[in-house]
Each structure stands twice: as structure tokens, then as C-alpha cells.
Amino acid sequence: MANRVGVWIIGGLGNVSLCTILGARAAARGLTGKAAMVTELPEFRSLPLVPVGDLVFGGHEIRHSDVYTEAVQYQKLNGVPSRELVDTLKPDLAKVSQELRDGLLLNCGKPVAALANGRWSKGNKRELSLSEAVRAIQNDLASFVKRNGLRDLVVVNLASCEQPVDLKAMGSLKALEEAIRKNRRELLSASVLYAYAAIDAGHPYVNFTASLGSSVPAIEELALARGVPHMGKDAKTGETLLKTTLAPMFYMRNLNVLSWEGHNILGNRDGMVLDDPENAKLKLADKKGVLESILKNTDRFHTRVRIDYVPSMQDWKTAWNHIHFEGFLGTKMTMQVLWQGCDSMLAAPLVIDLIRFAELAHRTGFAGPMKHLGCFFKNPLGAKQHNMFTQFRRLVKYAARLAAVPAE
Amino acid sequence: MANRVGVWIIGGLGNVSLCTILGARAAARGLTGKAAMVTELPEFRSLPLVPVGDLVFGGHEIRHSDVYTEAVQYQKLNGVPSRELVDTLKPDLAKVSQELRDGLLLNCGKPVAALANGRWSKGNKRELSLSEAVRAIQNDLASFVKRNGLRDLVVVNLASCEQPVDLKAMGSLKALEEAIRKNRRELLSASVLYAYAAIDAGHPYVNFTASLGSSVPAIEELALARGVPHMGKDAKTGETLLKTTLAPMFYMRNLNVLSWEGHNILGNRDGMVLDDPENAKLKLADKKGVLESILKNTDRFHTRVRIDYVPSMQDWKTAWNHIHFEGFLGTKMTMQVLWQGCDSMLAAPLVIDLIRFAELAHRTGFAGPMKHLGCFFKNPLGAKQHNMFTQFRRLVKYAARLAAVPAE
Amino acid sequence: MANRVGVWIIGGLGNVSLCTILGARAAARGLTGKAAMVTELPEFRSLPLVPVGDLVFGGHEIRHSDVYTEAVQYQKLNGVPSRELVDTLKPDLAKVSQELRDGLLLNCGKPVAALANGRWSKGNKRELSLSEAVRAIQNDLASFVKRNGLRDLVVVNLASCEQPVDLKAMGSLKALEEAIRKNRRELLSASVLYAYAAIDAGHPYVNFTASLGSSVPAIEELALARGVPHMGKDAKTGETLLKTTLAPMFYMRNLNVLSWEGHNILGNRDGMVLDDPENAKLKLADKKGVLESILKNTDRFHTRVRIDYVPSMQDWKTAWNHIHFEGFLGTKMTMQVLWQGCDSMLAAPLVIDLIRFAELAHRTGFAGPMKHLGCFFKNPLGAKQHNMFTQFRRLVKYAARLAAVPAE
Amino acid sequence: MANRVGVWIIGGLGNVSLCTILGARAAARGLTGKAAMVTELPEFRSLPLVPVGDLVFGGHEIRHSDVYTEAVQYQKLNGVPSRELVDTLKPDLAKVSQELRDGLLLNCGKPVAALANGRWSKGNKRELSLSEAVRAIQNDLASFVKRNGLRDLVVVNLASCEQPVDLKAMGSLKALEEAIRKNRRELLSASVLYAYAAIDAGHPYVNFTASLGSSVPAIEELALARGVPHMGKDAKTGETLLKTTLAPMFYMRNLNVLSWEGHNILGNRDGMVLDDPENAKLKLADKKGVLESILKNTDRFHTRVRIDYVPSMQDWKTAWNHIHFEGFLGTKMTMQVLWQGCDSMLAAPLVIDLIRFAELAHRTGFAGPMKHLGCFFKNPLGAKQHNMFTQFRRLVKYAARLAAVPAE
């Protein structure tokens, strides 16, 4: 029991969370291979990472349902994983359902608020002051740890992307704490408040989404003060992973990319929320910068990313990338990439990887942004390199260095 | 004049040769940008590479025509480069035409022999013994050097892909020289004989094609004996470039690639020759191995490469890559890549890069296979790493090391 | 009971058969919509077609297994239909399993013979003379009819594609009957023998595959003599459906199609069998002719169809079509189509449609090739029009004419 | 001379106009084949259409330049047609340049107004009252006819797409004429004013664009009153042509289309203008309706069309169509179509077709909307059928009927 590590998911009934929990429990029970987990590559085999079977899940959620019901629904809509697997894991999912608590709605935008579905009249955190909300979150975390006898707890943000807010009130820890104290709800995002609560309580924090989370100066300051590792933001799961792998090819051949257009269609809740232009802003911003930084020669470069909600696609995101480039003697050529991936199935194994790396970092005394995890993010905190290979080499070097040190 | 460097092209009127000559001369006259030349990247700026304007072109060719006529025809069929450019360079092309000599037909397969078109009855090298052929080639090279006052000469093989021959007679320098002496025509390929003649005469040699060239032990031995740098084989211009860039992405995310199918269609002379299954063998072999070496986990892996001749495509090669992979919880997903490139325009700038790197290597006393040039080849001699990034880093390190040493 | 119509499937455990049976029973029980059945379009609503729920299934099969086991396996490999559906239909599938009889192996090629898997040593029809085999087949049909009290029986060929045989012995009914009498096994295909047996016994026959079936003169003669409707060959389910819809567009705009290349990859048993070039011959022949007949202006036209076996794809066939065409002022343009369909799910509803149309034709006294069903076939017997729209209009007219006549 | 027919193009220096003029003159001089002209199909061979060589071009244009200069520029940017062709036709283009007159700016939206480029201070029609503008246009047409001894004149609108205006003032001829008389500039679009002027003067009118043109009741009334044929709107050149050909396939197989997403990228002036959401409105509206009318069963149907401006593409429009459909047993499948066409080269031959058909209609006494030309338009006036095959059959029948009547 003493070896168990908690995972607290903000957005506990979202698709990514469901796939994470299903995958972790399937792996724990030996029902699936370890494909798609980076931590299972030979390069990381000698690291003393927490076994997947030792992870215990709980979380905050704004909708009222349970993990099994949602997993069955997910399976019906998307065809994966097999129905047999979902049914086999029913008891495990039931345990997680018991660890779900009401989530916090704060400046999350209309589409997210709509999901909450009017069931929030009693016991939810909307009516709490910000200070009370922080305390309530911390109580939820503490009782989860105690109830399950956990030796550590990692908090992961998997909630839908928020709308941008002014950053002023988050420019320093002092400003942030003042805003909380004075209950200035209009100045803060839920993701920042969660990050504050988690890190203040000494828990490693990972922001898997494009929301602000721990990326603001106030939280960076707090993490160093509390000696807590954290990382984000916006996991690199599909199209951006492709871009940061493929763009270097054009650079290494000195081919002049004229335009790179990306059209994404998807039909999950994430897609529905991003259909609101305000909620899409942070996400599109994260997606856009990466190419310029790799291609360099971008005088005439044009790029645009579109994310369109197409209900029938459900969680199967399809991306068309059209790359127009100029080669020798001004010859214009074209590459097109069609990516058809199951969005949450691409994301979920990386959530597990990040939990394992964050827990390890905490255990080995690391504090602040885990820059060695840059290869997992579209907008990696403190590590502006986007080239996927350079990022991966950094992670491999980190692992090699750590493996050379005797584990505690 | 004393700074001029010769480039002797085997296959002087082929599409790649035409684009190389057009591009080099256009660059020399400032008529085009330097896109697509790797040697023009910032990473290689401090290397004392020969200026493109100092290259002087000549070559062997089995068809009877001239560079301008062929370039006009190429432009008509492919739409690139602009007709104005071809016309502006007419005098430069005329000079190169004067430096073309009759090429050698030896076990090249039916489609290549057919190109020679019956014009070979007089003065060609078919009727020479192998020893005479070697001497004739070396005489062509020597008189080119003398006539143009060249300080060095690089020989480049751009001829159509040959059919496989038994490697026995090329297993050692001794065996090869005996086969030449005894005029055992059936045991050798033209590409090997050219490589022998070039390297024996002290000229750096680059095999841009899938033919054997300098890849056999006999020639490797000779190159070390004569202190000559050489490299090959089969330049990585399009689909394989893509594969060796993209496959690492699947590895780095631990995604299990189940199948990777590549269908190429093209309509140039290269495509016509490869339509003969015998001539396609060496090429397909080079294309096939790269994926396994990068993906590693390939128990269930299936791959096939097809190259189909479609006349209307001319030099515009289109490749469909269908990649089927398994992610988390056994979820199968798909990526498809459509690459539409002008085959020879992708190849030509790399020819210039390789000439410049080979000349530099010779000048700095390097002998044997130039393993630092692995990023240019599908099947790099002596450097079995195929990951494009690892290959490129090796080249960058080579450049950095060399740049640190004062140039001679 | 008196209204029930039998369906006898040659290849009863193949994927298409499984999906046909699952779909028919699901429709009978109201568990699924009627999408993908042409007979359910408004244009055919007034026809007195047999209700899907009145179809009773049985068949010949060379492998030993049962429908439920194979359906479960199909579901696991392909993700469709839902596992719940397969389980719900378990009793229905069990009944069909009881109506399976040993199939006939005759000049079917190595890959098909291999499927029979050595289990054929007892009771199979390999050791029967041809005359005995015909009688055995007819006995199977007769006892199926009697046992189930069927008012009619339609025989459908869904078995894997055979290798080509010389057509001589099938040039007339006399020649065919002589070959059967003299037991000239080397001269006949199983599909022809089945067609002979079925039609001779007075049962409508549909050849869904590229095998010869009823397409030879001998059988056409027999069908007229016995007053039996039949049709084939090679159902138009995916890529050819697309071609015969899209090619007219190029014709109607007077765009000059230069090349149309089709690459198909699939991983089902059909794909495995077609991986043998001999077994692919008839299929490729059927696929090839259609374009020329629609495009007309095809002096410079190039086309090639490839079907490659890629195990991981299972029943999900993906086709890349690359269409290169010349427009105004000689401008070359491109259209590419990527079709990702579940092969047997595309085929199965058409099987049901053809059964219903064949039964209706028989009931209304129609004999010989059902030319009005041309829109269902790549190589429609007696109806060489391939334009999908013209074919469909013909079917609609047939229905309108028939609907105007009072049903018997 | 008496047989010559005038073509007056609104938007005379736009890409479509350039390609139309180049193509017509190249055909007249026998420099090109007749590919892409519908009127050259065998079905229309017996119609007494005006020979392409008898067409004389002139037009209105808001930019100041000449046809040759613009054609050279077009060729440089797009690679087609060959530079040689443009140079050969230089004298013909010069003659057309002399027939260009200043165009009219009226509620055309910012991007179009910007093209006028400040050169409009003198002699343009912006400062004329609406009545004066109509007279000025009619004077331009009349003097063109007289100067060139034309037996008829067809007016074609090829100008950039306008922004929507309120339709009230165009609801009847009386309302429109009152708005003109009272100079209510804010109530009218230039395209309507041009249509009014042309038809009022007795000239057949074709609206190739998505602007209103002759589609409003006021103009329909006028055309009948003056006995003039007209047609529009929004030519079906690429993506919509594809949709109206392909959608029937899904219908004919009873496949349930769940979503059809179209993403277009292009870099020509049309693309630049459509980048303004206001200018894109009419175009997107025309594109959207067609699918519903063909697919019928569209309860759950989702569709969206995006047109994005990507400068490097120039006139090469690329469209990605992602079609998600449900087949048998609820199986979801996908078709993707990538269309890479040269936008104006697809449009130009249809302009010539429409001119020839309109002139013939006028000559044979036809008045009002030419519904038989529905196959040429996204939003055909008075003929709401969108199925490309049905539309084409209607045109063929029209031709057959007309050919049966002895020509006047």
C-alpha cells in the first residue's frame, strides 16, 4: 500500500481521463500491451519509475455521472477499446467513480459551463469564495491521499480548454494571492486556481491542456518556493507532433516552405468546446508558433490551423496538412498528410508517462518546470525548442544521467 | 582558372544531370536562390567549400543529343524551370555539350540498352575489352582536366539503375582486376567499371544511384589504396527521406507500426527503366531496409514498395504512403502521406552538395567512404544509421570539427 | 412458413456471407436501420420484394467452423458490428450453422485449397466424379428447401476468386455436359459447376465474385432452357463503384484523363487469395475495362490496378486512386481519392438486394441474365454499359414498369 | 465579318478572363486541342454553334493594365499555359486590350475596391449617377458592336464576388428602375446594374459568379420583356462539380452520409477577395445547398465549406473533401478527395461554352433563364436539380431536340 501513488485528474470524466484510467487499469491487469507509453521504451527502462499498477485515480468533474457509464458510452461512439475490456474493468472503474468530486467552474466559457447541465445548485464550488475554493480543493486532495494511503499525489489538468483572461493578476505570486484573498473571480481561470491549490499543497502538477495552468509567473514562483515540479502546456499528441517531426526535414534539406495549412475535424467534447472561437484561441496560439521556430526561413511563409467540430467523427480526429514548398530552381512541390487518430487514445498514454516522470522528479528532489519533458508539449514551459528529435534527445540524456545515479 | 573543379557525370543527359547543370549555372549567374542546397545552410557556411560557380561540367552519355535540346524538352514536359531560364543559359549548356563523350554499355539491362537507340555502331565502347574501356574512360577524364585547367575532378554516377549481377568477381581488388584483365564482361557492371576507372585515376567518386558503383569490397579496397574519398549509394531524395524522418516519430512515441505501404508513380526515363522488374530490384532493396532499422519493434510489420511507370506523370513523382499503426489499448490508426515532387529537382541540389563535400574531403586528405554524408543516401556506405536526424547531426558535427581546423 | 425464401451461399463462412447473415437477421429483428440496401430506396418501395425477415440461410463451405465463432472473430478483427449485436443474434447464427454443408474444391488455386486445411479427408466432394458432385450439390439444395418449407431458393456465389481456366469446355451446354459426363475435372471451375447444378435444378443464381459462374455460354443456354434468371459477375462494391461514378464527370466536362492508377490494400482472406497473381487475374480484368468504356477518348490513357495484401488492414480495404487529367490549354491537373471502406460491409447489403431482385424476377417469370441489375456489377452479363447513372436509371425504369403491373 | 460574335467580359483582366481569351485565340489559331470545352463533345457536334474563332473580346475592368502584361504575369505565377503560347498570341491580346473600358465600382466590398488601386480619380464611373452609369455601359457595348461589325454580343460577368445586399429594391422591375432613377446607390450591386444594362440593350447575359447578376426578380422580368436569354449563377468548376457527381453515388447505394467537409485553399485574387467573410457569403451559400438536395436523408448530416486564402498557391486551388458515411449495420466509413486544379483553367472553357450556348439560344428565339444549362452552375436559375447526370441529360436532350429542327 505504501508504494501507491495518487493521480488526481481535473476533468475526471472527459475522454482523455476515461482512456487514461482504462489503459492504466488494463496494463495493471496485464490485459493490454504497453504500446504508446514512452516510458516503456528501452531508453527509459532503467529508470525507477512508479509501476502503472501502483497508480490510484480520483478527480474533479463538473458533470454528474460515473466512470463505467461514460466508458461504455465512449466505447459505443468510438468502437474502441473493446466492449469486453470495459466490462472486465467495471469494478476498477467503480472504485475510481467513488473518488470523483465536484469540479470548479470559473471563467471557463459558455460551452464548458453548458456541460455542467444545471446540476450545480447544491454543494458545488461555484458559490464559494476563491479562498474557500482553494481550501476545498486542497481538502479533496488531502482526504484522497489519506483514504488511499498514498505516498505521493500528482495532479493533472485534463479539463476542456478555457478562454483567455488577462494575465495581469497572475504576474506574481503576490498579485495572485491578493486576487484570491479579495475574491476577484473575474481575474482568474479555474486552471490557475487548481494549479495554485495543488502546488501550494506540495503536489507535482501537469497541465495537459492549452489552459493557463502553471504557465503564469505567479505559479512558477510558487512551485520553486514549495520545491514542487510541474510542467505544461498543451500536450503534443497528433498534428503538432507530426509538424515538429516533419518540419525539420524541410529545414535539413533547405527546402523553403511557402505554406503549411492544417485543417482538423473532430467530434468530441473537446471539438465542441473549441467550436467557440474564444475557447479555441489558446489552442490555436499553441499550435501556430512551432513551425516558424523550426523552419527559420519564413519571410514568405503562410500558416493557418483550423479546428472544426464535426459531430459524426466523435473522438476520431482527422487532420489534413497541406505543405507547399519551393525547391531547386524555384520549383514548387507539395506534401499532404492525412492523420486519422483517436484523439484520446493518443493522449492517454502520455498522461501516464507524465505522471510517472513527474512523480520521479518529485522523488529525486526536482523543483520547477520539468524542461526535460519538452517533447510532450506544444508549448513547453521554459524550453522553447520545438524540434521533436532535439526534445527527445534531451529526455534520453536526462534518463541516462538519472539512471547513472543510484536510485534513492 | 586554377580554382576550377571538374564534375564528370556518368549519364550526362539524364534528367538529374540536366537539372544539376541548369541549377549550378543559374546559381553561378545569380539567376536563382540557393534553396534546396544543403551546403547553403547556416550550419555549413564556415566550410571552405568550392563555390558553385567554379564547377565545370562534362560527362559520359549513351544517347546522342545535346544539353540545350534536352533541357528544352525537359522544360516542355515538366513545366520547370522557366523556359526563359533555359534560354538564358543556352551558351553555358553548349559548353557542357562539348564535354560529353560516348558512354559504356555493360550489363545494364534491356531498357537502358534500348535508350542507346542503335546509334552505337561506331566509336562506342561496347566493342572495347574491359581493360581498353577503363583506359578510354581515364583518357576522357584526363583530357577534360587538362583542357579545362581543373585543380580537381569529382566523378558522379547519375546513370539509370542497373540489374543485379553476382558480386563474386568484385569481392576483392585482386578478383576485380583479374576479371578486367581476362575481359570477363559477364561478371561486371558498368557502374563498377566507372568507379574503378575514376578512383584508380585518383578522382573522388559519388554513386547517386542504386547501382553497385563503389559499394563493392574491391572498390573500397582501391579507394583506400589510392587515398580517394567516395560515397554512395542511392540518394535519399523523396519517399525514403520522408520515411527516415517520419518513422522516428512512431518510435519516439512507442507507437507500433503494423504496415507501411509505399506506392510511387512516375513517368520519367528512370520510371521506364524501373518498370523492368530486374532493374527495379536494387532500388527496391535499398528502399526496403530503412524502416525496420528505425522502428525496431517489427514482429508483425509489413512493408512493400511499388514503383509504377505512368507516362503522363513525366518527372513529377507522386508517392502514396499508407502507415497503419497501433496505439494505446490496441487502437489502430492511420497516417497517409502524399508526396508530389519533381524527381530530378529534388535530386539535383544534392548532387551539387555531394560534389562540394567530396571535393572538400579530398582536399583535406580524407580517403574511403565518407560516412558523414549518410544523410544523403538510402544505403549509406559504412554507416548503417538511417534516422535522418542522427545522420544530419553527424554531418553538422563533421562540419564543426572541420571548421575549427584552419583551412589549408 | 410458405412465404419463406431460401438463400444458399457458396462460401458460407466467408466475411461477406457473415455480414450478409448478420445484417439480414439484425434487420429481421429490427436491430439496425436499412442503410446500404438499395432495395430500401424510395424508388423500389412499391415493388413486392420478399421481406428480409423471410430469408432463410444455408450454404456450402470448405472450412470447418460455425457462423457464430467466425462472426465473433470477424468482430474482434474489424471492430464492426458491435459485439452486443453478434451476441444477440447467437441463436439465429446457430440455426444457419446447421445448414452448412461441405463445399467443393475444383481448380480453385493454391491459396483457396490451403484454406481447406487438411480437414477434407472424409465426406468431402473432392473424391466425387463431376456428375456425382452435381447430384450431391442438388441434393443439398433440395433437402434444404424441403427441411425449411421454402417457396423458392436463390443460390449466391460468395466464394474466393478462382484462377482462370480455358473456356473451351464451357462454350456450349453440350460441351459442358460432355465434360461433366466424362469427368474432365481439369476443364472446369467449381463456380461453373455450382451454377450448373443450381440452374439445372431451377434456382435463380447470382455470381457476386469474379469467378466464371454463370457467365459462360453453356450456362447462359441452360438458364434460358430452364427458365431461370441469373446474373453476375463481380459485384461493384467500392473502387469500381467510385470509378464508374467519377469517370463520367471527366467525360461530361470533356477533360482528357491521362492516367488513372488504383492501389488497393486489404488484409482479409480475399486479399490473401488475390495475393496469388493467378487468382487476381479475373478480378483485375473486371476492374480494368470499365474506364475505357466511359472515358472514350483514351489514346494516351494509362491505367493500372494493384491489389496488395496487407494483413493488418483485415477487412478494411483502402484504395488510393490517382487521376491525372488534361484540361484547357493542355493544363495537367490531379484528383486523388482515398476510399476507406469495410469490404464485406459494403458487399453484404448488395447480396441481400440481389437475392430480393432475383427472387422477384423468378416469381414474375423472368429468365436469363437480369440486365437491369447492371449497376451491381463490375462486369454485368449482357449489359456492357458501365456508367453508374445510366445503370441506375435502367433499374429504376425496370421497377417503375414492374410496379405498374399488378403483382401476382 | 458579318458572322462575328462579340463577348463582353465584366472583369476583363481577371484570371478567368485571361484564360478564356488565351484559350479562344489559341483554339482559333489551331494551337491547342479542344479538351475541356463541353461544346466540343460528340453530343453537341450537330448544333450550329458559333465557331470559337468568330468570337471577338472586349470588356470592363477596374484595374489599369493590358491583357498581354497580365497574361505574362499569370504564366509566371502559375506555370501555365506555356510562355511560348502567350508570346505567339501577343498581337491578338493587344487587340483585346484596346477594347477594355473602365469598370464600375458599386457596393463590391473592400477587397475589390482595393484592387482599383487609386487610379480611379478620372473618367471612371464611380461619380456617375446610376442612370448615367447604365447609359455609359450601354454606350460601351454599342460602340464595341459597331466598331467590330458584330452580329450579336454576349455579356459575361467574371468579376470578383460581391457582398450581399438587401434584395428589396430588386424584387420587381419597377422597384429596380425606381432605385436607378432615384440614384439609390446603397441599394444595388454592380452585377445587377450590369445585367440590367446588358439585357435592357438586348444582349444575352451570363453570370459566371456568385454575385447576384440576373438572379433577381427584377432582371428576370426584364429578360422576358426584352426577349433575351440569360443564365447563372456561380459556375460549377471544381469542388461543387465533384460533389454533384459523387453525392449521387452515396444516394444510389443508400449510404447515409453523416458529414461532408470541404476545405479549399487558393491564392488568386478570387481567394484574396473571398478571405473577407462578407465577400465569401454568397459563394459559400451557393456551395452549401447542393448536397442536401441530392442526399435527401440528411437528419444527422453536417457540412461546412471553408475557402482559405493561401498566397503561394496562386491560381492552383486545392480542395480536401472529407466524406464520412454510414453503411450496413451502422459501419462508419470514409472517403477523402483531394482536387488540385488550376482554377481559371477549369473555368475558362465553360465561359466559352456558355457564350456559344447563349448566342445559339438568342438566335433561336429563346428568352429567359436557360434552364438547360443547369449543369454549368452551382445555383442554376430556375432549375433546382443539382445531380450532375440529370443536368447533363437535360442538356443533351435540348441539343437533340434543337438538332432535329433545321437551323434558321
Side-chain angles (χ1 to χ4, degrees), chain A residues 376-401:
Chain A
F376 289 97
F377 293 98
K378 291 193 192 76
N379 190 353
L381 297 185
K384 290 310 174 196
Q385 176 59 258
H386 288 294
N387 182 314
M388 180 64 195
F389 298 83
T390 313
Q391 292 175 324
F392 186 72
R393 271 174 39 83
R394 184 168 186 172
L395 182 60
V396 171
K397 278 188 181 164
Y398 162 86
R401 222 163 32 232

Coordinates of all heavy atoms in Angstrom, one line a residue, chain A residues 376-401:
Chain A
F376 N 6.8 16.4 -24.9 CA 5.4 16.1 -24.6 C 4.4 17.3 -24.9 O 3.2 17.1 -24.8 CB 5.2 15.6 -23.2 CG 5.8 14.2 -22.9 CD1 7.0 14.1 -22.3 CD2 5.1 13.1 -23.3 CE1 7.5 12.8 -22.1 CE2 5.6 11.8 -23.0 CZ 6.8 11.7 -22.5
F377 N 5.0 18.4 -25.1 CA 4.1 19.6 -25.2 C 4.3 20.5 -26.4 O 5.3 20.6 -27.0 CB 4.4 20.5 -23.9 CG 4.0 19.8 -22.6 CD1 4.9 19.1 -21.9 CD2 2.7 19.8 -22.2 CE1 4.6 18.4 -20.7 CE2 2.3 19.1 -21.1 CZ 3.2 18.5 -20.3
K378 N 3.1 21.1 -26.8 CA 3.1 22.1 -27.9 C 3.8 23.4 -27.5 O 4.4 24.0 -28.3 CB 1.7 22.4 -28.2 CG 0.9 21.3 -28.9 CD -0.4 21.9 -29.5 CE -1.3 20.8 -29.9 NZ -2.1 20.2 -28.8
N379 N 3.7 23.7 -26.2 CA 4.2 24.9 -25.7 C 5.0 24.7 -24.4 O 4.5 25.0 -23.3 CB 3.1 25.9 -25.5 CG 3.5 27.3 -25.2 OD1 4.7 27.6 -25.1 ND2 2.6 28.2 -25.2
P380 N 6.1 24.0 -24.5 CA 6.8 23.5 -23.2 C 7.3 24.7 -22.4 O 8.1 25.5 -22.9 CB 7.9 22.6 -23.8 CG 8.1 23.1 -25.2 CD 6.8 23.7 -25.7
L381 N 7.0 24.6 -21.1 CA 7.4 25.7 -20.2 C 8.9 25.7 -20.1 O 9.6 24.7 -19.9 CB 6.9 25.5 -18.8 CG 5.3 25.5 -18.7 CD1 4.9 25.4 -17.2 CD2 4.8 26.8 -19.3
G382 N 9.5 26.9 -20.4 CA 10.9 27.1 -20.2 C 11.8 26.4 -21.1 O 13.0 26.3 -20.9
A383 N 11.3 25.9 -22.2 CA 12.1 25.1 -23.1 C 11.6 25.3 -24.5 O 10.8 24.6 -25.0 CB 12.1 23.6 -22.8
K384 N 12.0 26.4 -25.2 CA 11.4 26.8 -26.4 C 11.8 26.0 -27.6 O 11.3 26.3 -28.7 CB 11.6 28.3 -26.6 CG 10.8 29.1 -25.6 CD 9.3 28.6 -25.5 CE 8.5 29.3 -24.4 NZ 7.2 28.6 -24.0
Q385 N 12.6 25.0 -27.5 CA 13.0 24.2 -28.6 C 11.7 23.3 -29.0 O 11.1 22.7 -28.1 CB 14.1 23.2 -28.2 CG 14.5 22.2 -29.2 CD 15.0 22.8 -30.5 OE1 14.3 22.8 -31.5 NE2 16.2 23.3 -30.5
H386 N 11.4 23.3 -30.3 CA 10.2 22.5 -30.7 C 10.5 21.3 -31.6 O 9.7 20.4 -31.7 CB 9.2 23.4 -31.5 CG 8.5 24.4 -30.7 ND1 7.6 24.0 -29.7 CD2 8.6 25.7 -30.7 CE1 7.1 25.1 -29.2 NE2 7.7 26.2 -29.7
N387 N 11.8 21.2 -32.1 CA 12.2 20.1 -32.9 C 12.0 18.8 -32.1 O 12.7 18.6 -31.0 CB 13.6 20.3 -33.3 CG 14.2 19.2 -34.2 OD1 14.0 18.0 -33.9 ND2 14.9 19.6 -35.3
M388 N 11.2 17.9 -32.5 CA 10.9 16.7 -31.8 C 12.1 15.9 -31.4 O 12.2 15.3 -30.4 CB 9.9 15.9 -32.6 CG 9.4 14.6 -31.9 SD 8.5 14.9 -30.4 CE 8.5 13.2 -29.7
F389 N 13.1 15.8 -32.3 CA 14.3 15.0 -32.1 C 15.2 15.6 -31.1 O 15.7 14.9 -30.2 CB 15.0 14.8 -33.4 CG 14.1 14.2 -34.4 CD1 13.2 14.9 -35.2 CD2 14.2 12.8 -34.6 CE1 12.4 14.3 -36.0 CE2 13.3 12.2 -35.5 CZ 12.4 12.9 -36.2
T390 N 15.3 16.9 -31.1 CA 16.1 17.6 -30.1 C 15.5 17.4 -28.7 O 16.2 17.1 -27.7 CB 16.3 19.0 -30.5 OG1 16.6 19.1 -31.9 CG2 17.3 19.7 -29.7
Q391 N 14.2 17.5 -28.7 CA 13.5 17.4 -27.4 C 13.6 15.9 -26.9 O 13.8 15.7 -25.7 CB 12.0 17.6 -27.7 CG 11.7 19.1 -28.0 CD 10.2 19.3 -28.3 OE1 9.5 18.4 -28.9 NE2 9.6 20.4 -27.9
F392 N 13.5 15.0 -27.8 CA 13.6 13.6 -27.3 C 15.0 13.2 -26.8 O 15.2 12.5 -25.8 CB 13.2 12.6 -28.5 CG 13.1 11.2 -28.1 CD1 12.1 10.7 -27.3 CD2 14.0 10.3 -28.5 CE1 11.9 9.4 -26.9 CE2 13.9 8.9 -28.2 CZ 12.9 8.5 -27.4
R393 N 16.0 13.8 -27.6 CA 17.4 13.6 -27.1 C 17.6 14.1 -25.7 O 18.3 13.6 -24.9 CB 18.4 14.2 -28.1 CG 18.8 13.3 -29.2 CD 19.6 14.1 -30.3 NE 20.5 15.0 -29.6 CZ 21.7 14.7 -29.1 NH1 22.2 13.5 -29.2 NH2 22.5 15.6 -28.6
R394 N 17.0 15.2 -25.4 CA 17.1 15.8 -24.1 C 16.5 14.9 -23.0 O 17.1 14.8 -22.0 CB 16.4 17.2 -24.1 CG 16.5 17.9 -22.8 CD 16.1 19.3 -22.9 NE 16.4 20.0 -21.6 CZ 16.2 21.3 -21.4 NH1 15.8 22.1 -22.4 NH2 16.5 21.9 -20.3
L395 N 15.4 14.3 -23.3 CA 14.8 13.4 -22.4 C 15.6 12.1 -22.2 O 15.8 11.7 -21.1 CB 13.4 13.0 -22.9 CG 12.6 12.1 -22.0 CD1 12.3 12.7 -20.6 CD2 11.2 11.7 -22.6
V396 N 16.2 11.7 -23.3 CA 17.1 10.5 -23.2 C 18.3 10.8 -22.3 O 18.7 10.0 -21.5 CB 17.5 10.0 -24.6 CG1 18.5 8.9 -24.5 CG2 16.2 9.5 -25.4
K397 N 18.8 12.0 -22.5 CA 20.0 12.4 -21.8 C 19.7 12.5 -20.3 O 20.5 12.1 -19.4 CB 20.6 13.7 -22.3 CG 21.5 13.6 -23.5 CD 22.1 14.9 -23.8 CE 23.0 14.8 -25.0 NZ 23.3 16.1 -25.6
Y398 N 18.5 13.1 -20.0 CA 18.0 13.2 -18.6 C 18.0 11.8 -18.0 O 18.4 11.6 -16.9 CB 16.7 13.9 -18.6 CG 15.9 13.7 -17.3 CD1 16.1 14.5 -16.2 CD2 14.9 12.7 -17.2 CE1 15.3 14.4 -15.1 CE2 14.2 12.5 -16.1 CZ 14.4 13.3 -15.0 OH 13.7 13.2 -13.8
A399 N 17.4 10.9 -18.7 CA 17.2 9.5 -18.2 C 18.6 8.8 -18.0 O 18.8 8.2 -17.0 CB 16.4 8.7 -19.2
A400 N 19.5 9.1 -18.9 CA 20.8 8.4 -18.8 C 21.5 9.0 -17.6 O 22.1 8.2 -16.8 CB 21.6 8.7 -20.1
R401 N 21.4 10.3 -17.4 CA 22.1 10.9 -16.2 C 21.5 10.4 -14.9 O 22.2 10.0 -14.0 CB 21.9 12.4 -16.3 CG 23.1 13.2 -15.9 CD 23.0 14.7 -16.4 NE 21.7 15.2 -16.4 CZ 21.1 15.8 -17.4 NH1 21.8 16.0 -18.5 NH2 19.9 16.3 -17.3

